[in-house]
Amino acid sequence: MKSYEYEVTQIGEATYRLDEYAKTHSYLLVGSEKALLIDTGCGCGHLGKTVESITDKEIIVVNSHGHLDHVGSNYQFEYVWIASQDEALMWDSTSIVFRNERIRSYLLSLDSEFEENELERTIRTPQVKKVYHLTDGQVFDLGDRKIEAIATPGHTQGCYCFLDREREMLFTADTVCDISILLFLENSGSVETYYRSIERLYNRRNEYKVLYPGHHTPALSVDYMHDYLMCARGIMKGSLESVRHIEAIGDGWKSMYGLIGIVYKKEWISDADRASSDEKISMATGQDT
Ligand SMILES: [Zn+2]
């Protein structure tokens, strides 16, 4: 019988990576008074119990963004912090109608033999009761440890990274991962928006030594920040080649720099292009955006 429970790895002093069966990395940062949990996965396994097995401190939960693979176990906690820009996306991602379709197909795409009981349990979960809004530069005080929330829109409009300056750790979720970053999704910002976020993080590169992403390779060097900066800049300048990129969740174009790539829409490169493309959609559908 398969285990759908989390795998826990200590990655530093009082700092843990929690690997979900469905391939999202959450992180638990324990301080002398409180602990910060970054992201809650798809909802597989029992994240609340996993966290309790590590610490009995009060848990502050933050969502790096509102996608379904980062907010699934929100309901196991009293409240969550998320950017106001991604709150509606989070409610969508944790609604039964959405989960019945999207979580089902996502989990089956990861494992075609995903067990029926665990699949149904993961789909049919309640929603978190209380939500607070993150603000750029906000500091979570865990007692002997302070974590800064940094707004990094791009992958979604409400993406955040979290910086532990003292331990020189930057938790980047889907803003900086190995392989590629997706900017072609319905809730993504323009390449220009993403570029500005990466530029802010890059300008602070002396404040962290290792990046801890939400997926794939679990710890990355600061070089990745440089490659994403150069890749986004190259796309804006039109100096990088691009190849068609199609997957089940959407399609776009992919440009590579070094070891990484950015997948984007050619009509969403500048902020102005992104805004006018929203306008065109609203004119076509007769809706206000
Ligand atoms: Zn995401």
Side-chain angles (χ1 to χ4, degrees):
M1 201 168 145
K2 289 179 196 173
S3 168
Y4 292 96
E5 291 308 323
Y6 275 80
E7 266 179 42
V8 177
T9 308
Q10 185 161 7
I11 57 170
E13 188 199 344
T15 308
Y16 303 85
R17 190 183 72 242
L18 314 177
D19 292 336
E20 192 183 32
Y21 183 83
K23 312 237 180 282
T24 300
H25 308 312
S26 293
Y27 295 91
L28 183 67
L29 285 48
V30 183
S32 58
E33 285 166 29
K34 295 177 185 178
L36 186 75
L37 174 65
I38 301 172
D39 285 340
T40 66
C42 288
C44 303
H46 296 84
L47 182 59
K49 279 190 191 149
T50 304
V51 168
E52 262 174 43
S53 73
I54 301 170
T55 181
D56 57 3
K57 302 266 159 54
E58 179 188 331
I59 308 295
I60 302 167
V61 183
V62 292
N63 291 152
S64 63
H65 63 296
H67 278 153
L68 61 89
D69 49 339
H70 296 260
V71 301
S73 287
N74 278 359
Y75 74 96
Q76 295 183 23
F77 302 90
E78 259 176 67
Y79 59 87
V80 298
W81 289 82
I82 187 165
S84 58
Q85 295 89 336
D86 269 22
E87 184 183 340
L89 178 60
M90 185 275 288
W91 291 128
D92 232 13
S93 303
T94 53
S95 70
I96 293 288
V97 174
F98 180 95
R99 295 179 72 74
N100 198 26
E101 188 185 326
R102 294 287 301 279
I103 279 283
R104 186 184 297 281
S105 59
Y106 181 64
L107 295 182
L108 288 172
S109 74
L110 295 175
D111 174 4
S112 59
E113 287 169 20
F114 206 99
E115 283 171 14
E116 192 59 27
N117 284 351
E118 178 66 6
L119 188 62
E120 293 303 327
R121 193 193 64 78
T122 305
I123 290 166
R124 286 167 215 296
T125 52
Q127 291 185 303
V128 70
K129 297 212 165 50
K130 238 193 276 176
V131 171
Y132 298 111
H133 288 159
L134 290 165
T135 51
D136 189 24
Q138 173 178 2
V139 173
F140 290 98
D141 188 349
L142 310 180
D144 59 348
R145 189 172 190 182
K146 292 182 172 49
I147 311 299
E148 180 185 345
I150 304 172
T152 53
H155 172 66
T156 67
Q157 303 282 3
C159 271
Y160 268 74
C161 293
F162 299 91
L163 174 64
D164 183 334
R165 207 181 303 168
E166 201 179 318
R167 286 172 174 74
E168 300 181 301
M169 301 169 121
L170 181 67
F171 298 89
T172 54
D174 289 7
T175 293
V176 178
C177 280
D178 201 1
I179 305 176
S180 59
I181 289 299
L182 309 181
L183 302 182
F184 64 85
L185 305 166
E186 197 185 330
N187 312 93
S188 297
S190 67
V191 176
E192 184 183 356
T193 294
Y194 179 73
Y195 174 78
R196 276 199 307 271
S197 294
I198 295 297
E199 189 181 41
R200 284 184 77 202
L201 295 173
Y202 185 73
N203 288 342
R204 298 182 64 176
R205 63 192 177 282
N206 59 343
E207 296 177 53
Y208 52 85
K209 285 211 168 81
V210 183
L211 314 177
Y212 296 93
H215 300 282
H216 314 307
T217 309
L220 304 175
S221 75
V222 178
D223 296 344
Y224 278 78
M225 200 64 82
H226 172 262
D227 285 0
Y228 275 110
L229 185 77
M230 298 310 288
C231 192
R233 187 183 288 169
I235 293 167
M236 287 159 65
K237 281 187 177 169
S239 61
L240 291 179
E241 282 183 16
S242 59
V243 293
R244 199 82 179 102
H245 179 99
I246 300 170
E247 54 182 290
I249 51 172
D251 62 277
W253 293 83
K254 183 171 186 176
S255 293
M256 310 279 295
Y257 188 97
L259 291 172
I260 56 86
I262 295 177
V263 187
Y264 60 98
K265 294 260 190 211
K266 285 195 172 170
E267 58 274 32
W268 295 354
I269 291 181
S270 71
D271 285 351
D273 291 345
R274 182 75 177 94
S276 74
S277 132
D278 272 351
E279 256 166 46
K280 276 182 211 148
I281 291 167
S282 76
M283 278 167 65
T285 58
Q287 286 171 355
D288 291 331
T289 50

